[in-house]
Amino acid sequence: MFASKKKLAAAVMLLALAACNKDDGSQGETAAALPKAYVIETEPQNIPLSFEFSARAQGSKETEVRARVGGILLKRNYVEGSRVEEGSLLFQIDPAPFEVALSQAKAKLAQSQAQLKAAQTQWDRIAKLFEQRIVSEKSRDEARADLDSLEASTQLAQAEVDQAQLNLDYTEVKAPISGVTSLEAQSEGSLITENGLLTSITQLNPIYVIFSASENEILSLTNMVDRGLIKNPQNKSEIKAKLKIDDNNFYTEDGTINFINPSVDAATGTVKLRAVFPNPEGRIRPGQFVRLVIEGLTRIDALVVPQEAIMQGAQGAFVYRVNSQGMVEVVNIQTGLTTPEGGWIVDEGLKPGDKVIIGGVMKMRQGMVVDPVVVQPQDIQKGRAG
């Protein structure tokens, strides 16, 4: 009886060992059959940021050249479209009428000065006679009044001379600034009216570039600076502005932001900004549409996810993450800025060390058990593990 129980126990033990061996083999086959999921491990990194805007060039100074006096336009002294220097002669208006007016004013001044001299002599004589009690107080007062009146008349005559000289000088129309001229508005021989437009001058060096950023973009950047997510530059010179000539080439000179409008445009919801660029060769022309790129800001401790890893659902953007048990789970995220390489910076939802699935995401489902294969970000290639 005892021997029979002993044999039965041995048989049960052998069956159990066989079952164990069979289970081990099955688990090995199951592990081998797990689908592979290519993942990246999120690591904090400092990302240089760049922002691109549509923009338009504008002359740093744009001045209309107008006649200060009227008359016949005798001569144009510049080539239309050429560069002129400040103070150079552009137009000559007939000076003859103004020369006559100046001569008349000078003659009137000379007459007033002669009368003033006589009045001064008369006053000196009357003043002495009054001290000797030879003339009356009335005579003294009249002499003094005559002298004061002629002094005022002489001052007025001098002002008329100055005005006549100024008008004569205005017959030579000079460049108020250095820059490039436009077409003439009046041809030689035309009768020019006072304040009539003659041409315009645009200063090309430096050149302004005007662009707009949305109110939300400005607020978002300000908020990230306040939260310490963006490194605040120590000085404005760290923020560089660049101009895109085409998709692959940039303008050789860097610029700086020198103006931010303090108010928001109520019609567009944008804030106007201005960058200034050296333009010694005049390659950038006023009115030219360009692409402006702003560089110099850095996103601190950013978690970057490739664009192909991000999905859109009813609750917004999400990614698939493999947890410590090898199970796929859905994680809702909030994306922020993009990187120059096309990745997305995740502001909320992920933490350092998370394994985010980047390949074959369309085949993934929450709760799946996968075999995660870590891929280095620099080795990511489009279509890999898809």
Side-chain angles (χ1 to χ4, degrees), residues 136-352:
S136 67
E137 185 176 346
K138 179 181 178 182
S139 298
R140 184 203 65 175
D141 292 343
E142 288 176 349
R144 182 73 242 186
D146 289 342
L147 178 61
D148 292 342
S149 176
L150 287 170
E151 284 179 345
S153 297
T154 303
Q155 292 176 359
L156 179 59
Q158 180 63 58
E160 290 175 352
V161 169
D162 294 340
Q163 182 63 59
Q165 182 64 60
L166 192 61
N167 289 339
L168 179 59
D169 293 341
Y170 283 158
T171 61
E172 293 186 346
V173 182
K174 298 180 180 181
I177 62 172
S178 299
V180 177
T181 58
S182 66
L183 294 171
E184 64 176 7
Q186 299 284 348
S187 60
E188 296 174 348
S190 300
L191 176 61
I192 306 301
T193 60
E194 183 178 347
N195 203 39
L197 179 64
L198 300 177
T199 187
S200 60
I201 300 176
T202 302
Q203 183 172 302
L204 301 183
N205 185 32
I207 192 81
Y208 286 158
V209 176
I210 310 299
F211 64 102
S212 296
S214 72
E215 179 183 8
N216 290 336
E217 288 175 325
I218 298 294
L219 290 175
S220 177
L221 285 175
T222 303
N223 182 49
M224 284 192 285
V225 170
D226 292 341
R227 293 165 57 192
L229 299 179
I230 290 182
K231 181 181 178 182
N232 196 8
Q234 298 299 316
N235 54 70
K236 291 183 179 180
S237 63
E238 295 182 23
I239 301 179
K240 298 294 184 182
K242 297 178 179 292
L243 287 182
K244 261 190 175 181
I245 303 301
D246 52 44
D247 291 340
N248 299 316
N249 296 303
F250 283 86
Y251 179 55
T252 54
E253 301 281 355
D254 290 343
T256 56
I257 307 298
N258 71 339
F259 174 77
I260 300 177
N261 199 326
S263 60
V264 178
D265 189 323
T268 61
T270 59
V271 177
K272 183 173 291 187
L273 300 94
R274 184 180 70 195
V276 58
F277 288 82
N279 192 33
E281 298 179 2
R283 292 181 59 191
I284 309 301
R285 311 290 289 188
Q288 181 178 347
F289 285 94
V290 292
R291 301 292 295 178
L292 183 80
V293 179
I294 303 297
E295 298 178 347
L297 296 174
T298 302
R299 175 65 161 82
I300 303 298
D301 295 334
L303 300 179
V304 181
V305 174
Q307 184 177 0
E308 58 268 24
I310 300 176
M311 309 288 286
Q312 293 293 331
Q315 298 181 352
F318 69 91
V319 295
Y320 288 115
R321 178 175 62 188
V322 180
N323 62 22
S324 57
Q325 289 76 40
M327 188 176 296
V328 176
E329 55 187 14
V330 175
V331 180
N332 293 317
I333 62 171
Q334 179 178 331
T335 58
L337 303 170
T338 59
T339 67
E341 293 76 21
W344 282 90
I345 297 174
V346 178
D347 290 335
E348 295 181 8
L350 296 177
K351 60 182 183 299

Side-chain angles (χ1 to χ4, degrees), residues 37 51 66 76 84 93 100 116 142 157 203 205 253 258 306 319 360 377:
F51 306 90
R66 294 182 176 271
R76 170 170 52 83
V84 295
I93 297 173
V100 172
L116 176 62
E142 288 176 349
Q203 183 172 302
N205 185 32
E253 301 281 355
N258 71 339
V319 295

